[in-house]
Amino acid sequence: MEVKKKLLDIVRDTVRFKHYSLSTERTYIHWIKHYIFFHNKKHPKEMGKEEIEEYLTSLAIKNKVASSTQNQAFSALLFLYKEVLGVDMSEWNIQALRAQERKRIPVVLTKDEVKLVIENLKGIYNLITMLMYGCGLRMNEVINLRVKDIDLGFDKVYVWDSKSLKDRVIPLPLKLKQRIAVQLEAVSELHAKDIKDGFGAVYLPYALEKKYKNAQFETKWQYLFPAANISTDPRTKIKRRHHILANTLGRNIKVAAQKANLNKRVTSHIFRHSYATHLLQAGIDLRSIQELLGHKSVETTMIYTHVISEMNKAKLISPLDF
């Protein structure tokens, strides 16, 4: 007798079939479950436009969530109805009250402040942060780099399937070339040890491990910044070496900022903001920076012109000082 799968299990299967990340899977599950409980455990098949609008409006009015959080919940519901339940939502025209979008100017570090934070980072976290700043990488992009993504011959870093699904090529900072070469050698030695110990497999995206069965054991597919220990994959239960955890990197950056006595809120993303701002200050044109950052639209990149504008305002003086 065939056991009927629960809705959330079908959602998980669909997310994995679409090759979405584990974090996306957990986020979608959270919001779909929250949506169902909001409507007293009513099955989504029995709900539609009105229930979605009521739920999203409640998030904005009662829960007072940020615009990005409400959009995240909406994306989860779109996925549920379109990809899992096969419902055509094109004519629904969802009209929920949207959370107010706050357009904030990103906080950036000066070059001296960047240097201070990096000086307070040790070992591999020092190198990762320097690469993040030197290439304008997002945290997930830097920790997901593989050996094959580094081209020392042409001094390039390749980023595949980034946030906007745009592949891009970024100049490798020459100051890091020797350290990256040493890191590549260390990864190769660690991988050889893993193979000897009966491990050596690595996670491959888009079911490549089925298409190329031996690729998961090849050095070129290993993470550039591997974790210190072998761990169990939460999805497949396979024991293998993953990359350094985002939380661990973030925690090290926070501690380094505290040691540097900076009063700014320093996160991993501040190095990407600083990278773009410092390039603008150096006279690099906006279109080039857009390509380096992998933004779909130049409007997204233009936020950094506002940062420069605010910096220039600091040169103005008060009438009291005339």
Side-chain angles (χ1 to χ4, degrees):
M1 181 178 176
E2 186 178 352
V3 179
K4 192 173 181 180
K5 275 193 172 184
K6 294 180 180 180
L7 176 64
L8 293 182
D9 288 333
I10 298 173
V11 172
R12 286 189 184 91
D13 290 345
T14 309
V15 168
R16 294 175 189 186
F17 178 76
K18 295 283 183 180
H19 307 295
Y20 291 178
S21 69
L22 182 59
S23 61
T24 300
E25 176 184 324
R26 288 170 174 165
T27 299
Y28 280 10
I29 292 295
H30 166 77
W31 288 117
I32 291 169
K33 189 185 292 185
H34 195 263
Y35 168 66
I36 293 171
F37 274 82
F38 177 83
H39 288 293
N40 300 313
K41 299 183 180 180
K42 196 174 179 181
H43 197 286
K45 279 185 178 179
E46 301 170 11
M47 299 187 283
K49 180 179 185 295
E50 290 184 6
E51 287 81 4
I52 292 175
E53 289 178 344
E54 182 185 355
Y55 174 66
L56 293 176
T57 299
S58 175
L59 288 179
I61 300 300
K62 293 183 180 179
N63 295 55
K64 300 186 185 302
V65 301
S67 173
S68 58
T69 303
Q70 190 189 42
N71 288 336
Q72 196 179 68
F74 190 27
S75 295
L77 297 183
L78 286 174
F79 183 85
L80 170 66
Y81 280 94
K82 183 180 177 182
E83 304 295 345
V84 179
L85 300 178
V87 176
D88 183 7
M89 300 174 67
S90 59
E91 297 181 0
W92 284 10
N93 189 24
I94 305 296
Q95 294 294 322
L97 182 65
R98 306 311 295 268
Q100 185 176 359
E101 185 175 358
R102 297 177 181 176
K103 293 188 177 180
R104 300 184 185 276
I105 294 177
V107 176
V108 300
L109 300 175
T110 65
K111 291 181 181 179
D112 287 340
E113 287 171 335
V114 169
K115 186 178 179 182
L116 270 175
V117 176
I118 288 174
E119 285 175 349
N120 281 283
L121 284 161
K122 304 301 179 186
I124 197 66
Y125 299 107
N126 175 280
L127 177 57
I128 294 174
T129 306
M130 287 189 75
L131 189 62
M132 199 156 45
Y133 168 66
C135 295
L137 299 174
R138 300 177 178 93
M139 178 188 277
N140 279 339
E141 290 173 346
V142 75
I143 63 178
N144 276 288
L145 285 174
R146 313 263 182 162
V147 168
K148 67 178 183 61
D149 300 332
I150 304 298
D151 187 340
L152 293 180
F154 288 99
D155 300 325
K156 303 292 183 185
V157 177
Y158 292 86
V159 179
W160 311 100
D161 299 325
S162 64
K163 186 178 179 181
S164 57
L165 295 180
K166 287 183 69 175
D167 300 335
R168 65 189 196 274
V169 186
I170 305 164
L172 174 69
L174 296 182
K175 284 187 177 180
L176 296 181
K177 187 170 182 176
Q178 183 56 38
R179 290 186 66 186
I180 292 293
V182 171
Q183 178 62 19
L184 288 171
E185 184 61 32
V187 171
S188 180
E189 292 175 2
L190 180 62
H191 180 54
K193 181 181 180 300
D194 285 345
I195 292 285
K196 186 178 178 181
D197 292 341
F199 299 104
V202 69
Y203 165 76
L204 295 183
Y206 308 115
L208 284 175
E209 60 187 25
K210 293 181 179 178
K211 188 175 181 180
Y212 306 108
K213 292 188 176 181
N214 293 323
Q216 61 183 318
F217 296 102
E218 294 177 6
T219 303
K220 67 181 180 182
W221 281 101
Q222 304 305 306
Y223 288 111
L224 179 62
F225 302 112
N229 301 308
I230 300 288
S231 58
T232 303
D233 189 308
R235 284 176 167 176
T236 63
K237 307 304 177 186
I238 296 173
K239 288 187 175 182
R240 52 192 174 194
R241 193 179 296 278
H242 202 51
H243 56 61
I244 280 175
L245 295 178
N247 288 343
T248 308
L249 175 57
R251 188 166 58 249
N252 276 269
I253 289 173
K254 183 179 179 180
V255 171
Q258 290 171 345
K259 289 180 178 178
N261 294 317
L262 297 185
N263 293 321
K264 295 178 180 178
R265 182 173 177 267
V266 179
T267 66
S268 63
H269 214 65
I270 203 171
F271 296 100
R272 179 172 164 87
H273 292 324
S274 302
Y275 166 84
T277 304
H278 297 166
L279 285 180
L280 266 178
Q281 288 178 315
I284 305 299
D285 66 278
L286 204 62
R287 288 287 182 182
S288 296
I289 296 173
Q290 177 195 353
E291 290 182 8
L292 289 169
L293 293 175
H295 287 160
K296 281 184 178 180
S297 169
V298 73
E299 278 74 26
T300 308
T301 318
M302 283 181 68
I303 188 68
Y304 298 108
T305 63
H306 299 309
V307 176
I308 299 294
S309 176
E310 290 298 315
M311 288 178 174
N312 290 336
K313 285 180 184 177
K315 297 176 183 177
L316 300 175
I317 60 173
S318 166
L320 284 172
D321 296 324
F322 285 169

